[in-house]
Amino acid sequence: MTTTTTETPPRPPGRSAVDFLRGYFSLQPILVPICAILLAVLVGGVIILLVGENPFTAYWALLRGMFGSGDRVAASLGRSTPFIGAALAVAFAFRAGLFNIGVEGQLLVGATVAAWVGTWDVVHDLPGLLAILAVLVAGAVGGGLYGLIPGLLKVRTGAHEVITTIMLNNIALLLIRWIVNSTDPVILRDQGASVARSATIAEGARLPRLVDSQPPLHVGFLIMLGLCVFVWFVLQRTTNGFEIRMVGANPHAAHYAGVGVSLVIVSVMATAGGFAGLAGAGEISGTSHFLSPGVFLAIGFDSIAIALLARANPFAVVPAAVLWGSMLAGAPLMQQETGLSIDIVRIVQALVLLFVAADVIVRTVFRIRSKVEGGFDEPTLGTQWGGVA
């Protein structure tokens, strides 16, 4: 009886080192954000120590507040849902070299339009699925139209989108506050409510809840996951996505290659605004069912940090948003058990943003070598802000 043995071919000398270096550099996109989070947690621990509390006790309470039970996990995912859509709005524009700071305003306008449409009599008469679609589409259209404005201003007048979107944020915030608060004339205010808010949307227009946690985990979370897949597919598998990345990498080269740069800029800003509006509509339909002033405070600005942490990758936006939202969801338990202010969590989040933006600090501390940039898939804040290399 003979046995057949398979011999492993000898590995070429030096292959293991090459593999190691290749693997090391392939991890570059995630090494810096992960190390930035670790460094932020470390610095946050020093701050907690300086105020006289035990950082291990505080972080353990925070961790249990984030994921300590099934309901807390659901609440963390529910809190993260609007951050996913809002961060996608930033990341999508960033791929085209546009710094969309106007997500706060676009989200507010989308939520307001959704809250308004959701109270229409015709929506009350619609079947559940159509009523939900009406509210979500209304929010996406509202946010998209508001995102269209800075895009048109940029291509027609050369106004930088950072300036125009900041101004449009203030306009949206103050205008919607007046619309909801106003009693003479009454515009969106529910006169039967004891606090300033809009009327409740139709029952059929509410997204089903997956877990009745606080805040609830609703179907909007699944919609946001689908939106991430959609954005990835558009960017990586379509001609339009290739043109968007080309404009983001070098608008002059894209123009020379025959790409309609102005059209790309306008369409990307409108689409990004649509994503933000959809996120706002999802919160109205799935969580609050009405609009009150200040309910979306800082979500748009937090989404900028999340998009930077995810390096504008649509799939990486999900864990980054879950981390961000779950920290906010777990902060009250940390405050309850240790007496620390919830602002500690905000400080840690700000440190994460600082270390991601100034990644040279992280690379120096953790001795991470820089990867040579190339192609369209490595957006960085310094080289692609506004498409100026």
Side-chain angles (χ1 to χ4, degrees):
M1 182 176 179
T2 60
T3 56
T4 304
T5 58
T6 304
E7 294 185 356
T8 305
R11 302 181 64 179
R15 177 72 181 276
S16 58
V18 172
D19 287 346
F20 173 78
L21 288 175
R22 184 179 294 129
Y24 174 78
F25 283 118
S26 68
L27 290 175
Q28 287 286 310
I30 62 172
L31 266 180
V32 171
I34 290 176
C35 292
I37 294 171
L38 293 176
L39 193 57
V41 169
L42 183 64
V43 176
V46 173
I47 295 173
I48 294 173
L49 200 60
L50 289 175
V51 298
E53 294 292 338
N54 186 331
F56 294 103
T57 304
Y59 281 139
W60 178 241
L62 177 64
L63 201 60
R64 286 189 292 112
M66 294 163 65
F67 307 115
S69 65
D71 277 350
R72 291 196 181 277
V73 172
S76 295
L77 296 179
R79 187 67 185 271
S80 308
T81 301
F83 288 115
I84 298 174
L88 275 178
V90 179
F92 187 70
F94 196 46
R95 285 291 189 174
L98 302 166
F99 207 63
N100 181 20
I101 298 183
V103 174
E104 187 89 5
Q106 294 152 15
L107 188 144
L108 267 174
V109 171
T112 304
V113 175
W116 175 50
V117 170
T119 59
W120 288 1
D121 291 338
V122 66
V123 174
H124 280 272
D125 297 334
L126 287 174
L129 182 59
L130 291 180
I132 291 172
L133 279 176
V135 169
L136 296 183
V137 170
V141 171
L145 290 176
Y146 207 63
L148 181 68
I149 298 173
L152 288 175
L153 289 173
K154 183 177 181 68
V155 300
R156 291 295 182 188
T157 68
H160 202 287
E161 74 275 6
V162 171
I163 305 299
T164 54
T165 51
I166 288 175
M167 296 298 105
L168 286 169
N169 279 342
N170 287 330
I171 292 172
L173 180 65
L174 297 175
L175 181 63
I176 291 168
R177 186 180 296 170
W178 173 71
I179 286 175
V180 177
N181 285 328
S182 175
T183 55
D184 187 19
V186 176
I187 304 175
L188 272 186
R189 184 182 179 119
D190 181 6
Q191 292 182 291
S194 57
V195 295
R197 67 174 179 86
S198 68
T200 305
I201 64 172
E203 195 157 340
R206 301 174 186 177
L207 283 168
R209 293 185 174 183
L210 303 174
V211 181
D212 197 15
S213 53
Q214 191 59 246
L217 176 61
H218 52 78
V219 174
F221 181 75
L222 303 179
I223 294 175
M224 290 299 118
L225 295 184
L227 191 61
C228 291
V229 177
F230 172 75
V231 171
W232 173 85
F233 181 81
V234 168
L235 287 173
Q236 301 296 334
R237 292 291 185 268
T238 67
T239 304
N240 290 335
F242 179 77
E243 291 179 350
I244 289 171
R245 290 184 290 134
M246 187 186 293
V247 170
N250 191 324
H252 303 294
H255 177 72
Y256 185 75
V259 176
V261 176
S262 297
L263 180 61
V264 169
I265 290 173
V266 172
S267 61
V268 165
M269 287 301 296
T271 306
F275 294 159
L278 182 61
E283 282 304 285
I284 293 294
S285 178
T287 302
S288 63
H289 307 148
F290 57 81
L291 178 71
S292 58
V295 68
F296 297 118
L297 189 64
I299 287 182
F301 293 113
D302 283 350
S303 66
I304 298 171
I306 295 170
L308 291 175
L309 184 62
R311 295 177 65 86
N313 184 309
F315 290 135
V317 160
V318 177
V322 169
L323 172 68
W324 212 264
S326 58
M327 287 179 73
L328 295 176
L333 183 63
M334 182 189 73
Q335 184 181 39
Q336 181 183 343
E337 293 195 355
T338 66
L340 280 171
S341 170
I342 293 177
D343 291 336
I344 288 292
V345 170
R346 284 292 183 185
I347 291 173
V348 173
Q349 291 178 332
L351 287 169
V352 171
L353 175 60
L354 171 67
F355 293 136
V356 168
D359 63 344
V360 65
I361 300 174
V362 176
R363 292 182 186 279
T364 303
V365 171
F366 292 94
R367 304 180 69 83
I368 300 174
R369 299 180 64 181
S370 298
K371 180 182 178 181
V372 177
E373 304 289 346
F376 307 143
D377 297 327
E378 296 290 343
T380 59
L381 183 64
T383 58
Q384 288 197 282
W385 185 358
V388 179

